[in-house]
Amino acid sequence: MKIDIILAGVGGQGIISIAAAIGYAAVESNLYLKQSEVHGMSQRGGEIQSHLRVSDKEVHSDLTPQGSADMIISVEPMESLRYLPWLSPDGWLITNTKPFINVPNYPDINLVLKEIESFPNHITLDADDIARKLGSARSANIVMLGAASPFIEIPYEKLENGIRGIFSRKGDKIIKQNLDSMMAGKEFTKNYLSETSKV
Amino acid sequence: MEKLLLLGDEAIAQGAIDAGLSGIYAYPGTPSTEITEYVQRSKLAKERGIHSDWSANEKTAMETALGMSYTGKRAMVCMKHVGLNVASDPFINSAITGANGGLIVVAADDPSMHSSQNEQDSRFYGKFALIPIFEPSNQQEAYDMTYEGFEFSEKYEIPIMIRLTTRLAHSRAGVKQSALKDQNKISLPKDMRQFVLLPSIARERYKILLDNQANFEKESEQSVYNKYVKGKDKSMGIIACGIAYNYLMENYTDDECPFPILKISQYPLPINLIKKISSECKKILVLEDGYPLVEDMINGILDKDLIVLGRTNGTIPRDGELDPNIVAEAIGKPIKKGKDVPGLVVGRPPSLCTGCPHIDSFDALNEALKEYSKGRVFSDIGCYTLSALPPYESINSCVDMGASVTMAKGAADAGLKPSVAVVGDSTFTHSGMTGLLDAVNENSPITVFILDNSITAMTGGQKSHATGRLENICLGIGVKPEHLKILNPLKKHHEENVKIIKDELAYNGLSVIIPTRDCIEIIKKTKKTTKEIEK
């Protein structure tokens, strides 16, 4: 078993929390893990990415080789496309559709979405909207984790433990909001897959 | 024992705590910041009374760590690569004084310049100082090298360097811990003149350092971190240093590497192992993250039969960090690649946060400077360096910590009047104060902006050293009270701020303007903390 994930987004969107939850679950499942993060200057509203590699054998490189990632999980639509060179030809592109516009030349969002949809294996959802409807506007990142969860070969309960682990200091309400957000994302993907009879 | 999930930086911190560390000293700098922050957060470190407050700069950090080592206790000093430039005086001399308590110098390099102004390779400093260098290839080695490093340092009474790069510093993996050791008790050097570098003593000390080189080399030959791996195909041998070893092994996840490999993670170079692989193989590929240090060393100048492949002959790009694909290409493996990035994707550079006080400071400065020709603003290292980008395009230099004040003075000396310096509060206390003294002594016609957001913001909000005291520091240095102005950088004060700046720009002497408003990120953080406390 081996999963290579590229997490993408804009500084401040919480992709490190996604990584931490999966990391927690991987360690609890006695899997090997390497997870490379971006700290420093780029966190000031710039593009950021994290390489997350989980395996039942030792993982060597902290960076995923190009053309071999099993999925890109992105909290921002344009950012999902930035890492296509890393995605394997049969990998999944899983992204939030809500743009984060902090540059004056942000492209037409419809063209961005069209580009994403041209990719055979894609999951697109408005994670911000789903999170807001759950009364948890800040957990769009965790909705995205949920949406990707059917493709991550780690038991879902372990991911739930990961959420409990990383939000343990924030109290039960925040934990529940995030568990609900993850479940909503998971349900979205399951419905999508059954409707399109993929997988 | 259960593994801890740690960043490379955190593995070093935990290794040091477990090895009986008594003090860590540092100034924040990406990618090294998280080492000290980990110790600051650690409950165990608190219980053990381990010192972990930030230092004013890397030089003071290095010297303080050396002082702790003098007492026989174990000390560590951490910095980013360019920080070692600042600390280089005590660093080089600490190799001559030697250590008493174990002393580890951690230098975190930043190839590809993710958050830096150059990609200098700290191994050159280690080699220059003639001290052993440890270069972990993974998080576990980062832990183990630190854990064992203090003993090594004490065995030879020598500071050692641990060199890592951004990728390892900021990547997490499972790490196995070793048993917790006691801290050393105070035990001053046997030779009370060991640390007195009078020429006559320094000459003796230097001989000891030179004599130890053979011991360091022997340690490298026998080190568990340096290993020779047999290979059948002798057409090429591969020397892989530090993290480059992982990128090599990544390419042999499913099959065995046919070439002999020499993994190097401890320096000075194990000469016999190098001789072994180079006598067996017709050519040698050198994989190292950073500058071609090993490659140049084995290449030499004179013609030899051995062919050396690496960064200097174009096999590997001369600049930038390594990755599995670059290594795949160098060893002739087929390269996988996904789809190209679609043309519509645009860059998203980092930018000043919405509500950042620097935005209002630069808006006011830009307007006040309108009546002068462009190219007068010398800046420094911090969030405010982002004002080089649109829409501000305010600054014309960013070189090293503190250079804003001194470069503005040099330009004014040459006749560029007015010249402006823009420096953050933390950078000012790091290395700007001495330059200000130069400007005071000559009443140089420059206007110095100290952007006071009461925090070291760029690296994530560490304590700033002189919050609330900047005004008094400037007065103490000798800035005239009538040309020391405090501004509140808010939109509603824009007009009056512009007027004050204009007046000081017109003054033919030294002015200091301190726009004072808290970093917006820090306000958010503090609010959060208050909320948490209320709960």
Side-chain angles (χ1 to χ4, degrees):
Chain A
M1 173 273 188
K2 182 167 171 287
I3 323 165
D4 285 331
I5 303 171
I6 307 282
L7 296 163
V10 179
Q13 281 194 313
I15 71 162
I16 305 264
S17 298
I18 304 178
I22 303 174
Y24 199 103
V27 168
E28 217 184 44
S29 311
N30 285 318
L31 295 165
Y32 287 94
L33 168 91
K34 274 200 175 159
Q35 181 221 326
S36 157
E37 307 175 354
V38 177
H39 296 207
M41 197 165 218
S42 319
Q43 286 176 297
R44 296 278 168 275
E47 62 213 36
I48 63 163
Q49 104 303 109
S50 170
H51 289 218
L52 183 61
R53 317 191 68 199
V54 181
S55 173
D56 52 11
K57 292 196 204 73
E58 191 188 345
V59 180
H60 292 290
S61 171
D62 300 87
L63 293 172
T64 300
Q66 292 195 4
S68 63
D70 301 295
M71 69 193 82
I72 293 171
I73 307 175
S74 182
V75 191
E76 206 283 341
M78 180 176 77
E79 295 307 321
S80 75
L81 297 169
R82 198 182 299 284
Y83 306 99
L84 284 182
W86 277 265
L87 191 60
S88 147
D90 53 0
W92 283 84
L93 189 56
I94 305 162
T95 182
N96 188 3
T97 55
K98 176 84 177 164
F100 185 97
I101 302 174
N102 63 345
V103 282
N105 54 342
Y106 194 97
D108 180 346
I109 182 63
N110 294 315
L111 296 178
V112 172
L113 294 177
K114 223 168 123 186
E115 191 74 46
I116 293 164
E117 282 153 15
S118 74
F119 204 79
N121 295 336
H122 69 268
I123 305 275
T124 51
L125 60 158
D126 188 338
D128 283 63
D129 188 51
I130 292 172
R132 200 178 314 106
K133 281 180 181 151
L134 289 168
S136 174
R138 293 190 57 198
S139 56
N141 56 339
I142 302 301
V143 173
M144 290 313 303
L145 168 59
S149 64
F151 304 103
I152 303 173
E153 289 171 64
I154 295 176
Y156 187 76
E157 306 75 58
K158 300 279 184 196
L159 290 174
E160 288 182 317
N161 286 344
I163 295 291
R164 288 187 191 100
I166 63 167
F167 293 109
S168 62
R169 282 195 218 155
K170 310 248 166 156
D172 291 343
K173 191 179 160 202
I174 299 283
I175 290 176
K176 181 163 187 311
Q177 281 180 344
N178 279 285
L179 287 173
D180 291 348
S181 298
M182 184 161 78
M183 183 57 84
K186 180 188 168 190
E187 290 302 319
F188 180 93
T189 296
K190 282 196 144 180
N191 292 336
Y192 174 82
L193 292 176
S194 62
E195 276 166 26
T196 54
S197 60
K198 280 192 177 185
V199 175
Chain B
M1 187 187 265
E2 199 180 290
K3 284 185 176 177
L4 297 171
L5 189 56
L6 298 177
L7 294 175
D9 274 352
E10 296 172 339
I12 288 174
Q14 186 66 54
I17 295 170
D18 293 341
L21 180 77
S22 291
I24 184 168
Y25 297 91
Y27 180 83
T30 313
S32 70
T33 314
E34 293 79 5
I35 308 172
T36 306
E37 287 186 326
Y38 185 88
V39 178
Q40 290 171 345
R41 281 199 313 268
S42 159
K43 254 168 103 180
L44 177 60
K46 199 164 275 173
E47 280 165 23
R48 301 194 128 206
I50 298 175
H51 173 280
S52 62
D53 283 353
W54 295 108
S55 303
N57 64 39
E58 292 85 354
K59 180 175 180 285
T60 67
M62 178 75 221
E63 291 158 348
T64 322
L66 188 62
M68 182 170 273
S69 165
Y70 171 88
T71 70
K73 296 207 175 197
R74 293 183 166 179
M76 187 156 81
V77 51
C78 310
M79 57 200 78
K80 67 183 295 174
H81 56 338
V82 287
L84 191 48
N85 296 334
V86 179
S88 60
D89 196 357
F91 171 72
I92 301 288
N93 288 314
S94 70
I96 316 284
T97 63
N100 182 28
L103 177 57
I104 296 181
V105 181
V106 183
D109 294 354
D110 190 19
S112 280
M113 301 178 229
H114 299 282
S115 268
S116 305
Q117 65 269 47
N118 75 29
E119 56 175 37
Q120 67 184 57
D121 186 328
S122 297
R123 293 177 302 166
F124 281 85
Y125 264 118
K127 187 172 180 290
F128 183 26
L130 298 168
I131 63 169
I133 308 164
F134 293 78
E135 189 186 11
S137 67
N138 58 37
Q139 291 77 355
Q140 185 66 54
E141 280 190 352
Y143 177 91
D144 294 339
M145 287 173 171
T146 314
Y147 184 78
E148 295 157 10
F150 291 101
E151 223 152 273
F152 188 104
S153 167
E154 284 165 9
K155 181 176 174 188
Y156 294 103
E157 297 185 348
I158 189 78
I160 63 160
M161 172 187 275
I162 292 180
R163 182 253 186 177
L164 73 167
T165 55
T166 308
R167 204 51 70 180
L168 178 57
H170 289 167
S171 171
R172 267 173 227 284
V175 171
K176 244 194 330 214
Q177 257 180 296
S178 300
L180 181 65
K181 290 184 189 173
D182 286 339
Q183 288 169 273
N184 289 354
K185 296 207 169 60
I186 286 189
S187 148
L188 301 187
K190 284 185 267 338
D191 173 6
M192 293 299 269
R193 301 193 315 167
Q194 181 190 331
F195 286 77
V196 185
L197 294 186
L198 264 175
S200 58
I201 303 169
R203 281 191 284 267
E204 285 169 28
R205 295 293 319 167
Y206 186 46
K207 285 243 189 319
I208 295 171
L209 177 63
L210 293 176
D211 288 345
N212 257 331
Q213 296 305 305
N215 292 329
F216 299 161
E217 202 183 300
K218 205 170 134 200
E219 291 277 359
S220 288
E221 299 282 359
Q222 294 163 355
S223 167
V224 292
Y225 304 119
N226 294 336
K227 66 175 180 191
Y228 178 87
V229 186
K230 283 183 192 162
K232 285 189 196 121
D233 185 349
K234 304 278 168 64
S235 65
M236 182 167 78
I238 304 172
I239 295 178
C241 307
I243 199 168
Y245 178 73
N246 290 348
Y247 298 142
L248 176 64
M249 296 320 286
E250 181 67 31
N251 281 288
Y252 294 106
T253 308
D254 304 319
D255 51 343
E256 208 165 291
C257 178
F259 309 110
I261 303 169
L262 177 55
K263 169 185 179 279
I264 293 193
S265 280
Q266 184 175 335
Y267 307 74
L269 284 179
I271 307 262
N272 290 326
L273 288 173
I274 301 262
K275 280 183 179 161
K276 180 177 159 71
I277 196 167
S278 58
S279 64
E280 280 177 4
C281 304
K282 288 195 189 80
K283 52 185 182 186
I284 296 288
L285 170 68
V286 184
L287 303 172
E288 52 193 326
D289 221 355
Y291 287 11
L293 175 123
V294 174
E295 187 181 334
D296 277 351
M297 282 177 75
I298 62 172
N299 222 347
I301 294 172
L302 304 176
D303 275 344
K304 282 186 301 251
D305 292 338
L306 184 69
I307 300 165
V308 181
L309 308 173
R311 288 192 189 264
T312 55
N313 82 329
T315 306
I316 308 272
R318 181 62 182 77
D319 61 337
E321 72 171 322
L322 294 176
D323 64 38
N325 291 71
I326 291 173
V327 172
E329 204 168 341
I331 57 179
K333 278 234 167 187
I335 299 162
K336 282 193 281 184
K337 210 170 181 281
K339 279 174 95 178
D340 287 337
V341 181
L344 57 79
V345 174
V346 297
R348 198 191 296 259
S351 56
L352 292 173
C353 308
T354 310
C356 172
H358 300 335
I359 293 174
D360 295 303
S361 296
F362 284 113
D363 281 346
L365 175 61
N366 280 354
E367 190 172 334
L369 276 170
K370 261 187 191 155
E371 54 196 79
Y372 300 97
S373 59
K374 284 198 177 301
R376 300 171 176 273
V377 183
F378 301 87
S379 191
D380 232 299
I381 316 271
C383 288
Y384 47 91
T385 317
L386 294 171
S387 71
L389 308 174
Y392 319 101
E393 299 180 80
S394 302
I395 64 167
N396 308 103
S397 81
C398 160
V399 180
D400 69 274
M401 296 287 280
S404 56
V405 181
T406 32
M407 282 184 73
K409 179 182 181 296
D413 289 349
L416 187 69
K417 295 178 195 182
S419 289
V420 178
V422 181
V423 58
D425 52 330
S426 186
T427 304
F428 175 69
T429 51
H430 177 290
S431 287
M433 297 192 291
T434 43
L436 185 63
L437 181 60
D438 282 346
V440 163
N441 288 343
E442 297 181 34
N443 195 26
S444 305
I446 65 173
T447 304
V448 178
F449 279 77
I450 306 174
L451 304 179
D452 183 9
N453 59 4
S454 70
I455 208 83
T456 312
M458 180 94 268
T459 44
Q462 293 77 19
K463 188 174 158 268
S464 185
H465 269 78
T467 301
R469 286 176 287 147
L470 286 174
E471 211 178 329
N472 283 338
I473 287 174
C474 291
L475 291 172
I477 287 174
V479 176
K480 289 180 186 150
E482 62 272 29
H483 292 290
L484 177 60
K485 309 280 175 176
I486 313 293
L487 305 183
N488 185 357
L490 279 170
K491 286 224 163 22
K492 61 179 178 185
H493 302 306
H494 180 73
E495 296 308 322
E496 53 180 303
N497 288 346
V498 170
K499 174 150 193 333
I500 294 169
I501 297 169
K502 274 185 176 172
D503 288 350
E504 295 309 324
L505 289 173
Y507 168 60
N508 189 30
L510 173 68
S511 306
V512 174
I513 297 176
I514 311 180
T516 307
R517 179 152 74 82
D518 283 355
C519 168
I520 195 86
E521 282 298 309
I522 300 318
I523 295 174
K524 276 191 219 160
K525 260 192 198 172
T526 341
K527 265 193 189 159
K528 249 191 239 167
T529 326
T530 330
K531 263 190 205 163
E532 276 170 25
I533 293 166
E534 280 168 3
K535 268 182 198 166

